Amino acid sequence: MKSTAPCHHQCVKTQYGCFTAYFSPAGLARLDFPDESTDSVSAHALLIGPKMEPDLKEQWLNLTARALMAGLEGKPIGESPPLDLSGGTELQRIIWAFLQRIPPGDRMSYSEVAKAIGHPRAARAV
């Protein structure tokens, strides 16, 4: 799978601070939390990638903001933008795919997820 580096980023302001959403032409590729280093933001802002349609970027940003705000308020997130998971390792992509299948409100421990994906010793990676 070819990685599509995030090429556009935008701050989503919340009561907890600014979450930085990174988008590639395939979807939301990364979400930095407010307490993460601003060096990370500036480094990714310099990435050059393919241009995105402004309307699509705006649509994905709005979906990201609504989903993020709902999640922070403990509400169902509803629709979210497509996720670009191409930047992860094979194990990360397996973990992310499994996590997306856990119903909202359900919980699993790291070790339960590791066992469920067939990597029982990978709890730390999860």
Side-chain angles (χ1 to χ4, degrees):
M1 179 180 293
K2 185 178 178 185
S3 176
T4 52
C7 55
H8 301 277
H9 72 279
Q10 185 75 36
C11 172
V12 178
K13 293 181 181 177
T14 72
Q15 64 183 357
Y16 302 103
C18 177
F19 287 76
T20 305
Y22 295 88
F23 299 97
S24 76
L28 178 64
R30 176 178 169 163
L31 184 67
D32 284 351
F33 286 65
D35 61 346
E36 293 188 23
S37 168
T38 55
D39 292 341
S40 162
V41 173
S42 60
H44 281 278
L46 298 175
L47 290 173
I48 297 174
K51 290 187 176 186
M52 289 179 60
E53 293 292 326
D55 291 342
L56 184 60
K57 179 183 169 191
E58 191 66 28
Q59 177 186 4
W60 287 352
L61 178 61
N62 289 334
L63 287 172
T64 301
R66 282 197 300 263
L68 181 59
M69 296 304 282
L72 291 172
E73 293 171 1
K75 298 176 182 174
I77 62 168
E79 188 179 5
S80 59
L83 301 177
D84 177 0
L85 305 179
S86 65
T89 65
E90 182 179 347
L91 180 58
Q92 286 173 322
R93 289 192 300 269
I94 291 168
I95 293 167
W96 295 333
F98 181 82
L99 294 176
Q100 290 180 65
R101 294 192 309 261
I102 299 173
D106 284 4
R107 290 182 263 166
M108 293 182 78
S109 70
Y110 297 128
S111 62
E112 289 171 328
V113 171
K115 289 175 189 170
I117 63 170
H119 294 272
R121 300 185 68 167
R124 286 186 61 150
V126 171

